[in-house]
């Protein structure tokens, strides 16, 4: 995705506001940034409607996706790199694969980092040296501060003997490091060696919670940063003689990706799949927007800035051109103000990322948005109903609907981004071999079977809890946080066990009270991954318990002494009351004398 698009979308990284009388709710909706390039080779294809049959691929693989459009704000998969699990966002808007190295000096605390020394692959990790022929000749320019004296290749700033990679974006976020090669396991038994970027430094806003890096699935023309490498999926399909196609289906709580073929189970009806030709010489999955107009409830609404759209799994929302968005608001102001109070006020509730409390009936009364893509000879209509572009968000017992639209000025020829909002409605076939994308109504649930789950136990998901998570397209992927209190507590819907280090779905072990020991969730967890601090906490707890015990002992002793003193006082009082003289003495009149005093008056 173009850099400036990221600038607009990263507004959603902060808190998304909610209008509901005096209530508010914050929802993280965001997209990782991408690079922007302008050249790619594509062959023009015509749109076709097919009676679908499964394509026969020599090799294919199913990968479960984790995440959610409102709960996490992105979708990610697990790769096993040299035997180490990395969580990477799936991104059809870029072609770079990158994740943090153990030596990263500024990466997010608590992320899962790749340790080159612990690679267990057959050939092990191989660093790409700056002096090697693989490192781009005469690539030393721009951001590069260290260059090979002979080849003028760009060397890593943090590791000068290794070939550099840089990712930098218009919003200021980015990362840098060194190129490396190792074996990657995509699904149990499906492995390939790839060249990836090992992050040695990153801006604070590059990594997101629960996700360590990024997996680019776009054209290889986007994989020059500055040295050109073979993208990860290209390396996989070449090594396994796999068809150049993959398909993705997402829901509100995960999804799946099929590599090398298309799974008919992703679609409600395989006959609903329509293919749209990709625009030639565009590096993205770009399609043409037709008619310079979209439709609201079937009424044509002319607009400018309506020529090119890209299908991007790395973008959360449907992003319209600025002009198209303003024209949409004008249409609503003309046709819907009387039906929806506050819709046409000076501060309307219908705006990007805004969440409101409304009934399903009120939501469904909002207009349907539709537009044509492809070619004029065989247009394909994308239809988004209110339930498609209003994203449901549940907080406790309350439900809200969030506007799943955004807007931007055209950048690098891109007017509209068909992000996750659209992909929730339509499962997508990325048919790179035939230079087209296919869109079809998504099945209600996209599930990856348990056998396709990558785990720390070698790929076979034998743990019943882990298998059930994968089979339901779990939104959180809790088992990926096993052993990390920080990561597990940061994952929505996960529960952490202090004693075993296990991390499971919260519904498996509900924690209803503040004292749910040994289980805890989110801000109820008190955790720190550093051993010294954990030991400190244990010692502190022990000392605290000892202090409490000592105080308790002293308290008991003091109470016993008080009771003894009180008993002695009562005993003395009883003794005094048994003597008549002693008993009368306190009541003796102070004016009385021995009688001799009377004579003196």
């Amino acid at each position: 995705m173009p850099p400036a698009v990221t600038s607009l979308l990263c507004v959603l990284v902060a808190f998304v506001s909610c209008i509901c009388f005096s209530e508010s709710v914050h929802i993280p909706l965001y997209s990782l940034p991408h690079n922007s390039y302008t050249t790619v080779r594509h062959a023009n294809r015509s749109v076709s409607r097919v009676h679908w049959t499964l394509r026969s691929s020599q090799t294919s693989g199913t990968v479960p996706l984790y995440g959610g459009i409102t709960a996490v704000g992105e979708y990610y998969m697990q790769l096993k790199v040299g035997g180490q699990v990395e969580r990477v966002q799936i991104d059809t808007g870029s072609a770079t694969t990158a994740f943090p190295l153990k030596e990263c000096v500024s990466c997010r605390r608590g992320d899962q980092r790749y340790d080159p020394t612990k690679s267990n692959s057959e050939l092990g990790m191989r660093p790409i040296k700056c002096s090697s022929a693989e490192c781009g000749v005469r690539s030393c320019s721009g951001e590069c501060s260290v260059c090979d004296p002979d080849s003028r290749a760009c060397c890593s700033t943090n590791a000068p003997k290794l070939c550099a990679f840089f990712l930098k974006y218009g919003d200021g976020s980015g990362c840098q490091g060194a190129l490396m090669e190792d074996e990657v396991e995509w699904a149990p038994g499906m492995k390939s060696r790839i060249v990836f970027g090992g992050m040695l430094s990153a801006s604070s806003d590059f990594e997101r919670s629960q996700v360590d890096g990024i997996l680019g699935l776009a054209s290889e023309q986007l994989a020059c940063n500055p040295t050109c490498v073979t993208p990860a999926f290209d390396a996989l399909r070449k090594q396994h003689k796999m068809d150049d196609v993959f398909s993705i289906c997402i829901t509100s709580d995960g999804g799946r990706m099929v590599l090398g073929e298309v799974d008919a189970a992703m679609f409600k009806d395989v006959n609903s799949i329509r293919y749209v030709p990709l625009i030639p010489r565009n590096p993205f999955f770009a399609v043409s927007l037709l008619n310079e107009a979209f439709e609201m409830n079937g009424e044509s609404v002319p607009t400018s800035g309506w020529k090119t759209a890209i299908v991007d799994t790395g973008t959360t929302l449907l992003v319209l051109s600025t002009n198209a968005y303003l024209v949409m608001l004008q249409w609503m102001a003309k046709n819907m103000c009387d039906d929806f109070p506050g819709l046409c006020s000076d501060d309307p509730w219908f705006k990007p990322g805004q969440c409101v409390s409304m009934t399903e009936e009120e939501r469904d009364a909002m207009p349907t948005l539709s537009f044509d893509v492809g070619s004029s000879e065989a247009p394909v209509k994308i239809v988004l109903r209110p339930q498609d572009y209003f994203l449901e968000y549940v907080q406790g017992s309350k439900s809200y609907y969030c506007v799943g639209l955004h807007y931007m000025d055209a950048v690098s020829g891109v007017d509209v981004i068909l992000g996750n909002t659209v992909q929730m409605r339509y499962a997508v076939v990325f048919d790179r071999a035939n230079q087209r994308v296919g869109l079809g109504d998504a099945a209600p649930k996209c599930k990856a079977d348990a056998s396709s789950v990558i785990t720390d136990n070698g790929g076979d998901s034998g743990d019943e809890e882990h298998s059930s998570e994968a089979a339901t397209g779990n939104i959180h992927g809790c088992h990926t946080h096993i052993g990390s209190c920080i990561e597990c507590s940061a994952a929505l819907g996960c529960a952490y066990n202090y004693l075993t280090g296990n991390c499971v779905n919260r519904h498996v072990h509900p924690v209803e009270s503040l004292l749910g020991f040994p289980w805890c969730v989110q801000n109820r967890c008190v955790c720190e991954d550093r051993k010294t601090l954990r030991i400190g906490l244990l010692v502190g707890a022990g000392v605290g318990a000892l202090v409490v015990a000592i105080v308790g002992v002293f308290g008991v002793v003091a109470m016993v002494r008080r009771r003894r003193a009180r008993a002695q006082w009562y005993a003395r009082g009883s003794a005094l009351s048994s003597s008549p003289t002693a008993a009368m003495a306190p009541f003796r009149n102070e004016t009385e004398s021995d009688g001799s005093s009377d004579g003196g008056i």
Side-chain angles (χ1 to χ4, degrees):
M1 181 171 54
V5 175
T6 302
S7 302
L8 292 171
L9 292 181
C10 283
V11 173
L12 300 175
V13 178
F15 300 110
V16 181
S17 58
C18 169
I19 293 180
C20 179
F21 301 100
S22 61
E23 300 174 316
S24 64
V25 63
H26 302 296
I27 302 173
L29 300 176
Y30 48 76
S31 167
L32 283 179
H34 318 293
N35 275 342
S36 174
Y37 292 83
T38 56
T39 60
V40 70
R41 59 180 183 275
H42 285 301
N44 194 12
R45 305 283 176 174
S46 61
V47 178
S48 61
R49 181 173 182 176
V50 298
H51 294 283
W52 184 254
T53 56
L54 283 177
R55 97 172 10 179
S56 176
S57 177
Q58 297 184 48
T59 307
S60 63
T62 300
V63 178
L65 301 180
Y66 304 99
I69 194 168
T70 56
V72 180
E74 59 190 13
Y75 294 85
Y76 64 96
M77 62 174 288
Q78 295 179 137
L79 290 176
K80 213 168 191 181
V81 187
Q84 304 165 64
V85 174
E86 295 293 335
R87 300 161 301 180
V88 290
Q89 182 193 27
I90 56 167
D91 182 20
T92 58
S94 72
T96 300
T97 296
F99 40 82
L101 297 181
K102 181 191 69 174
E103 298 85 358
C104 187
V105 296
S106 56
C107 292
R108 179 175 58 85
R109 186 171 66 91
D111 58 5
Q112 295 182 186
R113 302 190 183 187
Y114 170 78
D115 186 346
T117 64
K118 293 183 179 180
S119 174
N120 65 2
S121 61
E122 183 178 353
L123 299 178
M125 184 279 296
R126 183 177 68 88
I128 308 299
K129 295 183 179 180
C130 191
S131 58
S132 70
E134 294 175 85
C135 197
V137 176
R138 292 187 296 277
S139 59
C140 191
S141 61
E143 294 295 324
C144 191
S145 59
V146 181
C147 304
D148 183 82
D150 299 323
S151 65
R152 299 301 297 168
C154 183
C155 306
S156 173
T157 303
N158 306 86
K161 293 184 179 181
L162 302 183
C163 190
F165 93 95
F166 296 93
L167 297 175
K168 190 171 184 180
Y169 310 105
D171 64 348
S173 66
C175 65
Q176 61 179 308
L179 293 179
M180 299 179 173
E181 182 186 82
D182 204 345
E183 184 177 73
V184 168
E185 185 175 11
W186 298 69
M190 178 174 286
K191 301 178 180 180
S192 65
R193 289 191 69 85
I194 70 167
V195 175
F196 60 89
M199 294 162 47
L200 290 168
S201 65
S203 61
S204 60
D205 53 352
F206 182 80
E207 294 179 87
R208 307 301 185 189
S209 177
Q210 303 185 47
V211 183
D212 309 305
I214 189 168
L215 173 70
L217 294 165
S219 165
E220 62 183 358
Q221 275 71 26
L222 296 179
C224 300
N225 301 288
T227 292
C228 297
V229 300
T230 301
F233 177 63
D234 293 72
L236 174 70
R237 66 179 183 81
K238 289 175 182 177
Q239 293 173 39
H240 287 268
K241 298 181 180 180
M242 180 182 292
D243 287 345
D244 194 5
V245 61
F246 60 92
S247 52
I248 293 175
C249 180
I250 60 174
T251 70
S252 61
D253 59 352
R256 67 172 169 180
M257 175 169 61
V258 177
L259 305 169
E261 71 174 19
V262 181
D263 188 350
M266 285 186 174
F267 302 90
K268 285 183 179 178
D269 179 3
V270 295
N271 293 321
S272 70
I273 302 174
R274 295 290 190 95
Y275 280 100
V276 183
L278 295 176
I279 297 175
R281 296 176 298 280
N282 192 304
F284 303 103
F285 288 98
V287 297
S288 297
L289 296 166
L290 304 179
N291 307 323
E292 293 192 355
F294 56 90
E295 295 179 359
M296 299 291 286
N297 279 348
E299 178 183 339
S300 179
V301 182
T303 182
S304 59
W306 195 259
K307 295 183 178 179
T308 302
I310 64 172
V311 184
D312 183 14
T313 59
T315 297
T316 308
L317 307 179
L318 167 61
V319 183
L320 303 174
S321 67
T322 301
N323 187 71
Y325 179 76
L326 294 176
V327 169
M328 173 189 290
L329 294 184
Q330 292 172 4
W331 185 91
M332 289 184 177
K334 179 180 178 182
N335 295 277
M336 310 199 70
C337 286
D338 295 337
D339 299 325
F340 292 91
L343 179 64
C344 304
S345 65
D346 293 336
D347 185 21
W349 54 261
F350 189 91
K351 52 187 171 183
Q354 193 86 344
C355 302
V356 295
S357 178
M358 63 170 65
T359 64
E360 286 190 10
E361 291 75 16
E362 291 171 331
R363 177 202 65 186
D364 294 343
M366 291 295 290
T368 295
L369 168 66
S370 60
F371 48 90
D372 292 332
V373 297
S375 66
S376 56
E377 295 79 14
V380 173
K381 186 175 291 295
I382 293 178
V383 179
L384 296 177
R385 303 157 299 182
Q387 58 264 42
D388 298 322
Y389 65 82
F390 273 101
L391 310 175
E392 185 176 13
Y393 176 73
V394 178
Q395 186 180 62
S397 60
K398 297 181 179 180
S399 181
Y400 303 90
Y401 291 105
C402 309
V403 180
L405 307 175
H406 210 287
Y407 60 90
M408 69 170 189
D409 294 328
V411 178
S412 298
V414 176
D415 301 303
V416 174
I417 301 177
L418 307 180
N420 300 151
T421 298
V422 177
Q423 297 150 25
M424 288 269 288
R425 171 75 194 275
Y426 296 102
V428 185
V429 179
F430 296 89
D431 189 354
R432 307 196 314 176
N434 295 302
Q435 292 298 289
R436 60 184 184 174
V437 293
L439 303 171
D441 291 333
K445 287 291 181 181
C446 301
K447 299 180 180 180
D449 59 57
S451 64
S452 63
V453 178
I454 291 285
T455 71
D456 289 326
N457 300 318
D460 183 10
S461 181
D463 189 316
E464 184 176 346
E465 289 176 352
H466 299 173
S467 300
S468 64
E469 286 184 356
T472 55
N474 181 260
I475 188 172
H476 310 295
C478 297
H479 66 277
T480 66
H481 311 303
I482 289 176
S484 174
C485 178
I486 291 177
E487 284 295 306
C488 187
S489 62
L492 298 174
C494 295
Y496 181 75
N497 189 303
Y498 288 113
L499 300 181
T500 66
N502 203 7
C503 185
V504 302
N505 277 357
R506 183 173 177 175
H507 75 269
V508 177
H509 290 281
V511 182
E512 301 299 339
S513 67
L514 291 175
L515 299 176
F517 187 84
W519 295 96
C520 69
V521 296
Q522 293 180 268
N523 58 0
R524 299 180 187 176
C525 293
V526 178
C527 49
E528 173 57 60
D529 275 355
R530 285 178 290 176
K531 292 183 179 179
T532 53
L533 285 184
R534 286 207 300 272
I535 294 173
L537 288 174
L538 291 175
V539 171
V543 172
L546 180 61
V547 170
V548 170
I550 293 174
V551 171
V553 170
F554 276 105
V556 171
V557 171
M559 181 179 66
V560 171
R561 294 180 64 182
R562 285 197 300 271
R563 287 186 175 181
R564 287 180 177 176
R566 188 178 295 112
Q568 292 174 358
W569 185 84
Y570 281 129
R572 287 196 300 269
S574 298
L576 290 173
S577 64
S578 63
S579 171
T581 304
M584 294 296 291
F587 300 99
R588 181 180 178 183
N589 193 324
E590 295 181 355
T591 61
E592 295 179 357
S593 64
D594 58 2
S596 60
S597 59
D598 292 339
I601 298 178

